[in-house]
Amino acid sequence: MTSRPQHPSEGSERLRPTVAVARAARVLAAAGIDAPRAEAELLAAHVLGVPRGRLALADGLAPDQLDRYDALVARRATREPLQHLTGTAAFRHLELAVGPGVFVPRPETELLAGWGVDHARAGSPLVVDLCSGSGAIALAVAQETPAARVVAVERSPAALSWLRRNAADRAAAGDRPVEVVAADVTDPGLLGGLEGRVDVLLCNPPYVPRAVEVPPEVAAHDPDEAVFGGADGLDVIRPVLARAALLLRPGGVLGVEHDDTHGAAVPALLAADGRYEAVEEHRDLAGRPRFTTARRRLPAAAR
């Protein structure tokens, strides 16, 4: 988008958002963007500083705003993530700061977070979020279940910066503060002081098998260590399941997101461990296997 054609409605000052969006949508469609109109509207709303739903009522784009808009559309056409351009990602009821160095939370992960929220509503539970990234799951649980104590664990220094920023923003907004721990979730001594005390443990680990081809937005912009989980995608999931069995109290619950090719593999790992029961596979809105849940088995004497 190196030039901007004149339009009868543009006049000398402002271009109607609908005109700019229509043109941008054509550019994004040609670049292979799945929802070009929606993304063109989101970028226009971002530039104008209005909610997308009020875009039609907004003032036109001034020349400097139009230049900025055209530049953002051109960057999106190169498959730079939309969330990097706007600086935020929506997740359940949150707007999270994201950018280079942190995995952009996906809508399907909202299902796992919602499951965690449902299981954290009773009492004052201890909830642990492993591979927290931007903090999406942990912060959603903290916002929606204010009685919960939430611990978020992340290894990457870059991701930790985003996690701490989002945690501070949500605490300033009045949500219960989340405890951030810098640690590797595959460490066999992870969170040693919490063994046998965790009520709900959630994890969205790197799980894509190495040979799988991922979209340009992921390949060029999401951190490799947050995407790929070894040859079969289970390199992080295996130690997480083993450690979770020690962290969870008897009767505590686990939810772990996984690749859609793991619909049988992850439940099988949980069943083979012997310390879990009530293993259940959950599908996303497209009907694909997306996360698996289980309950920490009670001691034999307590059954």
Side-chain angles (χ1 to χ4, degrees), residues 200-262:
V200 181
L201 191 146
L202 306 168
C203 182
N204 179 20
Y207 56 66
V208 177
R210 174 55 68 178
V212 172
E213 184 176 350
V214 295
E217 291 88 344
V218 177
H221 298 281
D222 275 328
D224 187 270
E225 67 175 336
V227 176
F228 296 101
D232 63 0
L234 298 170
D235 279 5
V236 178
I237 289 178
R238 289 189 184 94
V240 161
L241 299 186
R243 187 59 187 157
L246 296 174
L247 290 171
L248 288 166
R249 64 166 175 79
V253 293
L254 162 74
V256 59
E257 186 168 320
H258 52 69
D259 194 65
D260 56 14
T261 62
H262 293 152

Side-chain angles (χ1 to χ4, degrees), residues 89-246:
F91 190 84
R92 290 181 69 85
H93 308 296
L94 302 172
E95 286 288 335
L96 301 169
V98 295
V102 72
F103 184 80
V104 174
R106 305 304 201 254
E108 54 265 31
T109 304
E110 295 185 14
L111 300 174
L112 173 61
W115 181 89
V117 166
D118 288 343
H119 285 80
R121 292 195 186 279
S124 300
L126 171 56
V127 181
V128 170
D129 173 32
L130 302 183
C131 304
S132 193
S134 65
I137 293 175
L139 294 169
V141 173
Q143 182 187 60
E144 297 177 52
T145 59
R149 174 191 173 191
V150 182
V151 178
V153 180
E154 175 57 49
R155 180 184 72 175
S156 161
L160 277 164
S161 295
W162 293 104
L163 170 55
R164 290 184 173 118
R165 173 180 171 180
N166 286 319
D169 287 347
R170 291 315 312 164
D175 293 352
R176 177 164 178 171
V178 165
E179 301 169 36
V180 176
V181 175
D184 187 333
V185 301
T186 66
D187 180 351
L190 176 71
L191 302 177
L194 300 183
E195 287 189 4
R197 298 172 52 197
V198 177
D199 297 288
V200 181
L201 191 146
L202 306 168
C203 182
N204 179 20
Y207 56 66
V208 177
R210 174 55 68 178
V212 172
E213 184 176 350
V214 295
E217 291 88 344
V218 177
H221 298 281
D222 275 328
D224 187 270
E225 67 175 336
V227 176
F228 296 101
D232 63 0
L234 298 170
D235 279 5
V236 178
I237 289 178
R238 289 189 184 94
V240 161
L241 299 186
R243 187 59 187 157
L246 296 174

